[in-house]
Amino acid sequence: MDILILFASLVVILLGAEAFTNSLEHFGERLGISEGVTGSVFAAVGTALPETMVPIFAILLSSGSETLRHEVGVGAILGAPLMLATIAFFLMGFFAARKRGWHGTLNPEPTGFARDLLWFNWAFCLGVIAVFVPQEWGWVRPVMAGALVTLYVVYLYQTIRSSANLVDDGHGTEADHPLYMTKVGLPDNLLAILFQVGCGLGLIVLGAKGFVYGIEHLAPKWGVSALTLSLLIIPIATELPEKINSIIWIRRGRDTLAVGNITGAMVFQGSLLPALGIMLTAWVPQHEILMGMAMTLVAASYLTWVVRRGVLKPIHLVVNGLCYVLFVVSVLFW
């Protein structure tokens, strides 16, 4: 039964992702904004909001012990950027390779890609540093959390400010297909677009909740700690399914939207959520936490290096997948 729930949830997520990407393309086209803003801000934040509630619920509203709540919350907070920087990029490369070959070229708008990675690296490094700040330094952690929030606000400002120039350079958002809601008789206007955005996001959330339910009932058979389980399972159940948007876009050749959907979520998940963890949890160094942070930074730094070389190919993203494999092996067997 749990397997059937997982399968049905995946189907719902696929339908929601298709509706969501189609409506966002129309939304971005109607507003006259760049693909970078559509992918890195609207798509990334829109799909990241549901799983953002997992650590908030675990830390603030759960009825479990404080240690358990903190482990689940920290696992969810750190697992999301880890999943994005490793498996999400690998899967995007895999599906791109099926059409273009492993040595084909991925062509996201380079300045936005580089900007997202730069801001993520700065923000996540600050979160890593905070792990080693002694608990008795009470004033330091709130300052670091405030700095992370400020970093994200500045990132948003820079991303939106660059939109006009990118549109002029030919990187404006364009819809590939008619708005799906027009097929059921609704007019092609902003209200219908927003309605489809809501429907798509609602289906994604519903599917993700079903996915979580199925995983929760299968997970006890695996016999791992709450922190390890949170790092491994929660991001798969909440973050990865929503990145199907990127797979849809990469298969359509919309590389800027596909990459921005991932990197924009990385900046969001790597700045605002660690700020929450720094303020509300113990946020201390543990083996699983340190390995997750290390593999996230290795994968993100590697991507930054590849982007600076000027050519991104699907074969390059195999390294990101290997980073995740190394993390799993380290937490389960070391």
Side-chain angles (χ1 to χ4, degrees), residues 75-234:
I77 288 170
L78 295 179
L82 169 67
M83 187 69 61
L84 291 168
T86 57
I87 292 296
F89 266 106
F90 170 73
L91 288 178
M92 189 184 69
F94 173 79
F95 282 95
R98 295 185 63 182
K99 277 195 169 184
R100 313 178 198 186
W102 284 103
H103 291 279
T105 303
L106 300 177
N107 299 295
E109 193 280 312
T111 59
F113 192 11
R115 180 182 60 248
D116 285 2
L117 290 174
L118 176 66
W119 281 99
F120 172 77
N121 287 332
W122 278 108
F124 200 74
C125 281
L126 188 58
V128 172
I129 294 171
V131 167
F132 300 98
V133 174
Q135 292 283 347
E136 54 268 23
W137 294 7
W139 62 272
V140 177
R141 292 196 173 196
V143 170
M144 299 181 81
L148 285 171
V149 174
T150 302
L151 279 173
Y152 188 71
V153 172
V154 176
Y155 158 78
L156 282 181
Y157 171 75
Q158 285 199 347
T159 301
I160 295 172
R161 188 181 66 174
S162 65
S163 177
N165 291 333
L166 292 175
V167 171
D168 293 339
D169 291 338
H171 293 286
T173 304
E174 296 179 358
D176 286 336
H177 303 284
L179 186 70
Y180 294 148
M181 283 299 170
T182 60
K183 297 181 180 180
V184 296
L186 293 181
D188 186 358
N189 57 27
L190 184 59
L191 186 60
I193 292 171
L194 293 177
F195 178 68
Q196 185 173 310
V197 168
C199 290
L201 188 57
L203 287 173
I204 290 173
V205 173
L206 179 64
K209 285 183 176 296
F211 205 89
V212 170
Y213 177 85
I215 290 293
E216 284 177 344
H217 283 72
L218 292 173
K221 302 175 184 178
W222 300 348
V224 294
S225 71
L227 177 59
T228 300
L229 190 64
S230 299
L231 282 164
L232 293 176
I233 303 304
I234 292 176

Side-chain angles (χ1 to χ4, degrees), residues 20 24 27 33-49 115-116 152 155-163 243 249 256-257 259-265 267-268:
F20 190 75
L24 278 184
F27 184 66
I33 57 178
S34 70
E35 288 188 327
V37 172
T38 301
S40 294
V41 178
F42 292 125
V45 174
T47 56
L49 284 176
R115 180 182 60 248
D116 285 2
Y152 188 71
Y155 158 78
L156 282 181
Y157 171 75
Q158 285 199 347
T159 301
I160 295 172
R161 188 181 66 174
S162 65
S163 177
K243 296 314 157 195
W249 272 322
T256 298
L257 288 170
V259 170
N261 187 39
I262 297 176
T263 57
V267 182
F268 181 86

Side-chain angles (χ1 to χ4, degrees), residues 236-275:
I236 292 176
T238 60
E239 184 75 48
L240 192 57
E242 293 164 16
K243 296 314 157 195
I244 291 173
N245 297 326
S246 291
I247 293 174
I248 292 172
W249 272 322
I250 206 72
R251 287 174 59 84
R252 293 178 179 173
R254 310 299 294 275
D255 294 8
T256 298
L257 288 170
V259 170
N261 187 39
I262 297 176
T263 57
M266 284 173 63
V267 182
F268 181 86
Q269 302 278 28
S271 56
L272 298 186
L273 290 192

